[in-house]
Amino acid sequence: MLRAYLDFHRATLAVKCEGLSDADLRRQSMPPSTLSLLGLVRHMAEVERTWFRRVINREDIPLVWSDDGDFQAAYDASAATRSEAFDAWQAEVERSRRIEAAADSLDVTAPQPRWGKDVSLRLVMLHLIHEYARHNGHADFLREGIDGVVGA
């Protein structure tokens, strides 16, 4: 069930971006926010990478768009392209799926340094569902502002 809901939310973000040009995907919501659909895709690549690879798989790797751990750097999509962002995001999603599928159970734990405690794979999956759901709400408004399209 967790896998199905997480994949639903991943697919929803992709649907929100379908049929748009790179310029549309980079279009920001409203000042002072720099939020854009492409920025959300880049951010979710970082989220997938961090929670599945850096936390659960304990890989010592930097973020995709920031060597110093700044998650906000991903939101700056001013020079980004669809292919750059979506390729990175899809690669991280595929790695996340492999890590989750290879785990002995959802009770596997790993240290989460920012929280200062161990977290289970179950919690990570729930956290990502929450993260996608929240950002898909942002994506709804961003897409509607671009061309009026609403719904999942």
Side-chain angles (χ1 to χ4, degrees):
M1 187 178 298
L2 292 176
R3 184 181 301 135
Y5 271 103
L6 184 51
D7 280 341
F8 168 80
H9 282 293
R10 288 167 171 153
T12 299
L13 181 57
V15 166
K16 289 293 167 189
C17 298
E18 283 180 355
L20 297 175
S21 68
D22 284 10
D24 287 337
L25 290 169
R26 285 191 297 267
R27 190 165 156 189
Q28 297 174 350
S29 59
M30 65 181 155
S33 176
T34 60
L35 191 62
S36 69
L37 286 167
L38 209 52
L40 286 176
V41 171
R42 288 165 47 107
H43 173 70
M44 292 313 298
E46 298 288 33
V47 170
E48 294 269 359
R49 182 181 186 93
T50 295
W51 284 98
F52 282 98
R53 294 180 66 191
R54 295 175 71 183
V55 174
I56 293 298
N57 224 33
R58 300 176 190 202
E59 296 178 37
D60 185 17
I61 55 174
L63 295 176
V64 179
W65 288 281
S66 172
D67 291 333
D68 62 359
D70 180 8
F71 280 88
Q72 299 303 310
Y75 283 124
D76 181 6
S78 57
T81 65
R82 171 192 294 275
S83 61
E84 170 254 350
F86 274 84
D87 289 352
W89 177 55
Q90 289 300 330
E92 294 303 331
V93 167
E94 289 308 314
R95 286 184 187 104
S96 297
R97 287 180 176 137
R98 287 195 301 269
I99 291 166
E100 182 263 324
D104 291 337
S105 79
L106 292 175
D107 296 322
V108 167
T109 61
Q112 207 309 0
R114 291 180 79 191
W115 293 2
K117 62 180 183 176
D118 286 353
V119 296
S120 68
L121 178 56
R122 177 180 289 105
L123 183 139
V124 167
M125 293 183 75
L126 286 167
H127 179 76
L128 261 77
I129 291 166
H130 164 80
E131 184 100 4
Y132 272 103
R134 184 163 40 99
H135 290 312
N136 282 338
H138 300 138
D140 282 336
F141 287 121
L142 287 163
R143 180 62 189 254
E144 185 176 10
I146 293 167
D147 64 2
V149 171
V150 296

